[in-house]
Amino acid sequence: MKFGTACIHAGQAPDPTTGAIMTPIYQTSTYVQAAPGRHKGYEYARTGNPTRTALEANLAALEGAAHGICFSSGLGAMDGVMRLLSAGDHVVACDDVYGGTYRLFMQIFARYGLEFTFTDMSDPQQVRSAIAPHTKLVWLESPTNPLLKVLDIQAIAAVARQAGALVVVDNTFATPYLQQPLALGAHLVVHSLTKYLGGHSDVIGGAVLTGDPALAERLHYIQNAVGAVPGPMDCFLVLRGTKTLHVRMERHCENAMLVAQYLDAHPAVGQVYYPGLPGHPQHALAGRQMRAFGGMVSFRLKDDSLERAAKMCSATRLFSLAESLGGVESLIEHPAIMTHASIPKAVRESYGVNDSLIRLSVGIEDADDLIEDLRQALEAAGR
Ligand SMILES: Cc1ncc(COP(=O)(O)O)c(C=O)c1O
């Protein structure tokens, strides 16, 4: 199956009891057994649910994986991956990670004896330098959140594999439509399904995808033993979202490119961060690694102050001021105060997330309307 066909069909078959074309929402906590131990493959809904099974198979197909394991949120999925490790293990992570990832690592898992080193992975040699004898896992996002650095997944995976470390890619920003990290050498891909895969800002969910049966077995064990599972309604909503992933992503990318070009040429705008702009430091790598450049754009105003940035964020009318990303509607946000507030100011400023950075999740509305909204907001912010 090609990608668009897999979005719609992978993991899904008409319901065997009624022929319903859409996977039913199996809203049940348990399953009746004919005799003790004699059942139809499902015993208890934390362990398994047919709606979840369909979603897991669908997501696995999209990432080119053999196995999918779903969780109640993106962070739940990351928590599941981190439980593969033991006290004393070391993790190398990219510096520009989602704030919640940083918080999970430093406020939760560091207390259980895991060690973390954050490094700028735009140079894969820095990954090599950060690896220690007890490094068990290398964690990266590409493009990164919120500075949209593009990391060379293949090169980083090669370095990590040489050291015997697991390679995990948070593919939330790119989605499998734009890049498939398992084919580039990653062992595991994690997703916040809340974003592009759900696509409609109406569900929270997470997933881990892998081609490795031993890792999948351990993750299924963790999923059941820890219990951070998604409900069947949420799985249904994500399944509904993935059906249009390929079509939505095309428009997200098209619109984001137009928005980035508009901002780049605007006299009141300073730096624009978008991998699709020829001036982006990893533009060529993004062109090789990704099918298109994604729907996220970050930028700073020329008047690089918190006051102006806050004014800009409050002046848009179509871009709603809200955390999250990847829905059909456009959002604007202020990472330092919103999505990345859980990273200490000195740490985030050390790699460029200062108080004047603004992040856009460019939706699939008409681009002309989005650009007109940014035009009037930039004018208002300048007053
Ligand atoms: C890149 C990235 N990964 C993971 C997450 C966490 O996902 P969730 O909010 O579904 O727990 C987010 C949330 O914003 C994110 O932006």
Side-chain angles (χ1 to χ4, degrees):
M1 267 189 231
K2 290 202 165 166
F3 192 87
T5 313
C7 284
I8 295 164
H9 293 288
Q12 291 166 80
D15 176 47
T17 51
T18 63
I21 192 162
M22 288 301 136
T23 305
I25 302 161
Y26 284 92
Q27 194 74 51
T28 187
S29 62
T30 193
Y31 308 86
V32 175
Q33 307 197 3
R38 199 144 68 76
H39 53 75
K40 297 176 177 164
Y42 293 95
E43 296 162 78
Y44 184 62
R46 170 162 35 73
T47 320
N49 177 289
T51 320
R52 191 170 97 206
T53 305
L55 175 61
E56 290 175 336
N58 179 256
L59 296 173
L62 299 189
E63 281 292 2
H67 310 275
I69 305 98
C70 283
F71 292 86
S72 53
S73 67
L75 275 167
M78 293 175 185
D79 173 89
V81 169
M82 297 309 287
R83 286 173 197 272
L84 294 168
L85 302 179
S86 304
D89 289 348
H90 177 240
V91 175
V92 177
C94 61
D95 54 3
D96 186 26
V97 278
Y98 165 56
T101 308
Y102 183 88
R103 181 178 56 202
L104 177 71
F105 290 176
M106 299 308 284
Q107 302 299 328
I108 307 293
F109 281 104
R111 287 180 24 237
Y112 291 88
L114 294 185
E115 289 173 33
F116 296 89
T117 301
F118 294 87
T119 188
D120 179 1
M121 292 191 182
S122 40
D123 174 8
Q125 281 317 310
Q126 294 218 25
V127 181
R128 199 184 295 279
S129 314
I131 284 178
H134 60 314
T135 303
K136 293 285 163 42
L137 191 146
V138 170
W139 185 288
L140 61 141
E141 294 175 15
S142 184
T144 62
N145 178 6
L147 290 172
L148 299 159
K149 282 193 267 191
V150 178
L151 306 181
D152 189 334
I153 298 173
Q154 198 157 23
I156 295 167
V159 169
R161 277 178 177 265
Q162 236 176 32
L166 283 177
V167 183
V168 184
V169 176
D170 180 339
N171 205 25
T172 300
F173 265 36
T175 82
Y177 179 69
L178 298 182
Q179 79 191 7
Q180 293 174 320
L182 298 179
L184 299 172
H187 297 92
L188 298 166
V189 166
V190 299
H191 276 287
S192 168
L193 303 176
T194 315
K195 311 299 192 300
Y196 289 107
L197 295 181
H200 296 77
S201 306
D202 53 9
V203 64
I204 297 279
V208 186
L209 297 315
T210 184
D212 182 323
L215 282 173
E217 194 182 330
R218 288 171 67 200
L219 285 161
H220 273 300
Y221 184 87
I222 290 167
Q223 180 194 42
N224 182 53
V226 177
V229 295
M233 177 73 190
D234 291 351
C235 293
F236 174 87
L237 286 171
V238 179
L239 270 175
R240 183 175 164 132
T242 58
K243 287 193 194 327
T244 54
L245 177 67
H246 51 309
V247 184
R248 286 186 285 107
M249 287 314 291
E250 274 177 24
R251 181 65 85 85
H252 280 296
C253 294
E254 235 172 79
N255 281 0
M257 180 69 96
L258 292 169
V259 162
Q261 285 167 343
Y262 173 76
L263 291 172
D264 201 37
H266 196 287
V269 173
Q271 197 168 355
V272 179
Y273 301 83
Y274 185 64
L277 293 177
H280 185 283
Q282 295 97 31
H283 177 62
L285 169 63
R288 290 195 304 276
Q289 186 165 275
M290 302 169 73
R291 194 198 291 246
F293 300 105
M296 301 300 294
V297 179
S298 295
F299 68 102
R300 296 175 204 288
L301 298 175
K302 272 222 174 96
D303 178 350
D304 195 15
S305 65
L306 171 60
E307 187 204 346
R308 290 276 178 229
K311 247 179 156 173
M312 172 79 201
C313 289
S314 308
T316 51
R317 295 172 189 151
L318 263 180
F319 281 84
S320 302
L321 178 60
E323 297 197 8
S324 204
L325 60 111
V328 289
E329 67 292 315
S330 292
L331 301 180
I332 187 167
E333 72 116 3
H334 186 273
I337 295 178
M338 298 166 72
T339 49
H340 290 65
S342 47
I343 303 178
K345 187 174 163 74
V347 174
R348 64 176 161 73
E349 288 193 339
S350 72
Y351 59 79
V353 183
N354 67 1
D355 287 348
S356 59
L357 188 73
I358 298 168
R359 191 188 78 178
L360 302 176
S361 171
V362 181
I364 63 171
E365 301 93 336
D366 284 295
D368 288 351
D369 290 330
L370 296 179
I371 287 170
E372 170 52 25
D373 188 33
L374 292 170
R375 188 203 60 74
Q376 69 77 28
L378 283 163
E379 194 178 293
R383 275 187 220 118

